[in-house]
């Protein structure tokens, strides 16, 4: 009777080791997935800060200069479009990320045109509120860059973990997540015409 207990005991121990090992793999994947979601939240926070500052900047420019209406309208419309694109970080697709990135690029482009156009207005350049908002926007752009970089770093860790063998045997429900990529034409300087 004791002869069959040893093989059964070994089999149970082996099954228990595999079960705990797979649980560890799934828990780590969950941890990395949550890190990606957190970093995505940081990206959204940085973009939200920029959108909030743009409203103040536009109002300051309106109040301080007889400014070209089309430039202000372009900034306001780009901001509205950018805030309408939302992404669920747990189910993000490369297409959704590209759409989000395109909307945010529109804000960056119209905002840079606005800031360059402001050079024509010496009273506006001397306005303390405008200068402070301009500094805040520059700081926010740096925060956006940092948030996007950290997001990509967390995606790299996540993807590396869920795609490698043998982890991918146990993690079929965890899919590869896309990286932030530069917008089309981002390698070229923004052309501003007066």
């Amino acid at each position: 009777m004791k002869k069959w207990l040893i093989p059964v005991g070994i089999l149970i121990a082996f099954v228990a080791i595999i079960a705990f090992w797979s649980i560890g793999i799934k828990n780590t994947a969950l941890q990395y997935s949550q890190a990606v979601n957190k970093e995505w939240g940081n990206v959204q926070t940085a973009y939200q800060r920029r959108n909030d500052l743009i409203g103040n900047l536009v109002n300051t420019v309106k109040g301080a200069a007889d400014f070209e209406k089309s430039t202000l309208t372009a900034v306001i419309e780009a901001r509205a479009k950018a805030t309408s694109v939302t992404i669920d970080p747990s189910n993000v697709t490369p297409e959704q990320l590209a759409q989000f990135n395109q909307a945010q690029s529109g804000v960056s482009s119209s905002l840079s045109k606005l800031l360059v156009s402001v050079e024509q207005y010496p009273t506006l350049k001397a306005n303390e509120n405008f200068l402070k908002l301009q500094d805040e926007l520059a700081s926010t752009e740096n925060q956006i860059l940092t948030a996007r970089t950290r997001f990509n770093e967390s995606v790299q860790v996540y993807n590396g973990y869920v795609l490698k063998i043998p982890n991918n045997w146990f993690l079929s429900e965890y899919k590869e997540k896309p990286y932030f990529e530069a917008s089309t034409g981002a390698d070229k300087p923004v052309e501003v015409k007066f």
Side-chain angles (χ1 to χ4, degrees), residues 115-173:
L115 293 175
V116 170
S117 304
V118 161
E119 294 296 319
Q120 298 176 22
Y121 297 90
T123 56
L124 185 57
K125 289 191 303 187
N127 181 311
E128 285 181 40
N129 288 337
F130 177 76
L131 294 174
K132 184 176 182 212
L133 285 168
Q134 198 173 11
D135 287 343
E136 287 290 324
L137 278 169
S139 170
T140 300
E141 291 300 323
N142 288 334
Q143 288 177 2
I144 290 170
L145 172 64
T146 301
R148 288 176 60 161
T149 301
R150 288 182 180 159
F151 173 79
N152 280 348
E153 289 168 353
S154 67
V155 167
Q156 177 187 13
V157 171
Y158 168 85
N159 286 346
Y161 188 80
V162 300
L163 296 175
K164 74 179 178 181
I165 296 175
N167 295 358
N168 62 354
W169 299 341
F170 300 100
L171 300 173
S172 61
E173 71 272 20

Side-chain angles (χ1 to χ4, degrees), residues 47-86:
Y47 279 121
Q48 182 61 52
R49 182 172 189 258
R50 177 174 72 176
N51 289 334
D52 293 345
L53 286 170
I54 288 172
N56 293 333
L57 181 71
V58 166
N59 288 334
T60 302
V61 170
K62 275 183 187 176
D66 179 21
F67 206 72
E68 184 183 328
K69 191 172 187 174
S70 64
T71 304
L72 291 174
T73 303
V75 171
I76 292 166
E77 287 173 358
R79 177 181 173 225
K81 184 178 178 184
T83 57
S84 70
V85 177
T86 57

Side-chain angles (χ1 to χ4, degrees), residues 20-35:
F20 284 117
W21 182 49
S22 71
I23 289 170
I25 287 173
K26 288 185 182 236
N27 285 339
T28 302
L30 177 64
Q31 176 187 351
Y32 290 150
S33 179
Q34 290 301 309

